[in-house]
Amino acid sequence: MSLPVVSSQTADEAYEDPLDLIEEIDRLKIEKDATILAHFYVDGDIQDIADFTGDSLKLARDAVNVTTSTILFSGVHFMAESAKILNPEKKVLIPDLLAGCSLAESCPADKLAEFQQRLRGEGRDVVTVAYINTSAAVKSLCDWIVTSGNAREIIDRVPADREILFVPDQHLGRYLEEVSGRKMILWPGACMVHEIFSLQDMLRAKRNTPGSMVIAHPECPHNILEHADFIGGTEKLRRHVMSFEEPQTFLVATDAAMIHAFEKSAPQHTFVPVPGIMTDSGETCACNRCPHMARNTLAKVRDCLKNGEPEIHWQPYFDKAQDVLQRSLLD
Ligand code: SF4
C-alpha cells in the first residue's frame, strides 16, 4: 500500500504566513459569529486557534454547548455531520468536504442494511452498535453509537441475551470483546492509520529506550495492543500521560498529530511516534498521520469562515441518526 503525501500546507496552496492567517481567522471568528472545534488529529497550529479541542466524544458534547450561530469543525466529515445533527439550527462548516475517513468508508449504509436484513431473515434479532466513525446514513441504521471513550459502558448496557453486531472497526471490536467478555459479530472494517504501525519497529524502539512505555489507541490491531502498556481513546491517553509527574518516554501508537496535545498537557515527557510499516515504494512512514485530517489547513479554515462554505446540510436520514446520537452520547 502506498501512503498519500501528508503536509500541513497542500501543494496547491500558495505559502501564506501562518501568523497572518491566525490573525485573519481570529477576526473572522468574531465577524461571522463562529466557534472553532478541532480534533486532536489536526495540525497543532489549528488546535491552538480552536475554542475547543478533543476527541470525538468530547467534541460532540462541546458542540451542543456552543453559543455562536456557526460552528466550524476542523476534523473529518462524519464529525462535522454529528455536530450538525446535534445542532440542527446552527450553520456547520467543514474546511474541506473531502476530509473523509477510511474507517467510515469501510461500512457503506447499503451494505450494512443488506447484512442486517440477512440476519433478520435468519431469525437473529441483533443490536447494532456503531463506532462514531461512521456516516450519518449508517448511524440511522444503528441502535447505539459509541466512541472509544464510552464503548465499554454502552456495550455493558445491552441485555446479555441479545446478540451484538459491532461496526465498523474490527480491531476496536475485538478489543471490546476482550474487556467486556461479550462475543460480538464484527464488521471487517479498519482505519488505514492505526493498521499501519510496525510491531517490529515498535519493539525495537522500546528495547532501545529503556523505561519507555507504549500507549496505543484501541483502533490498532491486536498484535500492537498486546504489547501496549496502556490502551485508550485519545482523551484517555492524554489523561494517562498527565498522571505521571516524573519525566517519561512514551511511544505513541496513534496519529502523530496527537503528540501536540500530549506535549501541551504534559510537557515534562518525551513522546516518540511508533513508526509505520514499509510501504510498497520501500519507504517507512516514520510519522503516522491521517491524510484526511491533514486536509485541514489554516488557509482552508480561513477560507471556510470567509465564504461560509463548505457547509453540512440537513439530510432526511439525520432525524433517525439524531435520536440514536442523543441517546448514546448526551443522555
Ligand atoms: S485516523 Fe483513521 S479513523 Fe481517524 S479519521 Fe483518519 S482514517 Fe478515520
Side-chain angles (χ1 to χ4, degrees):
M1 176 169 66
S2 60
L3 286 176
V5 174
V6 173
S7 129
S8 60
Q9 189 146 29
T10 54
D12 52 353
E13 269 179 19
Y15 177 79
E16 289 183 82
D17 187 329
L19 292 178
D20 291 343
L21 284 167
I22 289 168
E23 214 171 279
E24 218 179 330
I25 289 168
D26 282 341
R27 185 179 54 73
L28 283 164
K29 249 179 19 175
I30 298 167
E31 190 185 310
K32 305 286 181 176
D33 189 33
T35 298
I36 298 181
L37 273 62
H39 193 272
F40 280 145
Y41 289 173
V42 300
D43 278 344
D45 46 13
I46 301 178
Q47 292 186 46
D48 289 344
I49 49 128
D51 301 286
F52 296 95
T53 54
D55 61 6
S56 309
L57 177 61
K58 179 177 178 294
L59 290 177
R61 287 177 172 158
D62 288 338
V64 295
N65 293 320
V66 167
T67 53
T68 56
S69 56
T70 296
I71 292 174
L72 182 142
F73 204 116
S74 186
V76 295
H77 192 266
F78 76 81
M79 296 176 181
E81 256 186 350
S82 297
K84 177 68 184 176
I85 290 167
L86 294 171
N87 295 277
E89 75 295 348
K90 294 204 190 293
K91 186 179 177 95
V92 175
L93 304 172
I94 177 167
D96 189 329
L97 261 187
L98 295 178
C101 168
S102 65
L103 184 52
E105 281 150 25
S106 67
C107 182
D110 57 337
K111 294 276 177 293
L112 174 61
E114 225 174 79
F115 187 60
Q116 288 172 318
Q117 186 61 36
R118 212 171 80 205
L119 291 171
R120 275 194 288 271
E122 292 169 6
R124 297 164 74 179
D125 179 23
V126 299
V127 173
T128 306
V129 177
Y131 189 32
I132 196 165
N133 295 34
T134 44
S135 67
V138 163
K139 288 184 176 80
S140 72
L141 298 171
C142 297
D143 300 290
W144 292 103
I145 305 298
V146 301
T147 67
S148 44
N150 75 346
R152 171 74 202 273
E153 182 196 320
I154 299 253
I155 300 271
D156 286 347
R157 279 203 228 168
V158 179
D161 59 345
R162 299 286 304 277
E163 250 190 307
I164 298 176
L165 165 62
F166 186 82
V167 303
D169 191 335
Q170 57 180 311
H171 301 304
L172 177 63
R174 204 159 290 127
Y175 169 71
L176 289 170
E177 281 187 330
E178 261 179 51
V179 296
S180 69
R182 286 288 285 270
K183 195 88 193 97
M184 302 190 284
I185 306 166
L186 303 181
W187 189 269
C191 156
M192 64 193 292
V193 179
H194 289 92
E195 268 223 312
I196 210 166
F197 292 112
S198 158
L199 175 62
Q200 211 182 4
D201 290 346
M202 183 180 89
L203 294 178
R204 189 178 303 126
K206 197 172 176 182
R207 215 173 34 243
N208 292 342
T209 323
S212 62
M213 283 180 268
V214 174
I215 53 173
H217 194 283
E219 284 174 26
C220 293
H222 184 69
N223 66 342
I224 294 289
L225 295 184
E226 68 182 350
H227 291 281
D229 297 288
F230 187 80
I231 300 167
T234 45
E235 184 58 27
K236 200 168 162 189
L237 294 180
R238 191 179 70 88
R239 288 181 191 281
H240 179 69
V241 300
M242 284 168 70
S243 70
F244 291 83
E245 278 176 20
E246 291 301 312
Q248 308 279 342
T249 297
F250 291 98
L251 304 177
V252 180
T254 190
D255 189 307
M258 185 63 208
I259 289 176
H260 182 77
F262 288 152
E263 285 174 342
K264 272 178 97 169
S265 307
Q268 68 275 30
H269 303 317
T270 303
F271 300 96
V272 180
V274 168
I277 55 173
M278 198 80 86
T279 67
D280 288 346
S281 56
E283 290 158 4
T284 301
C285 172
C287 156
N288 286 292
R289 289 294 323 274
C290 171
H292 303 291
M293 291 284 185
R295 283 186 168 274
N296 289 269
T297 62
L298 281 174
K300 285 182 192 166
V301 170
R302 185 268 320 271
D303 292 346
C304 181
L305 279 176
K306 193 150 104 187
N307 304 327
E309 58 178 22
E311 182 181 353
I312 304 289
H313 295 284
W314 193 265
Q315 304 297 327
Y317 47 85
F318 280 15
D319 290 300
K320 175 81 202 310
Q322 188 184 47
D323 287 348
V324 64
L325 259 176
Q326 279 177 337
R327 181 158 38 86
S328 305
L329 303 187
L330 306 182
D331 287 351

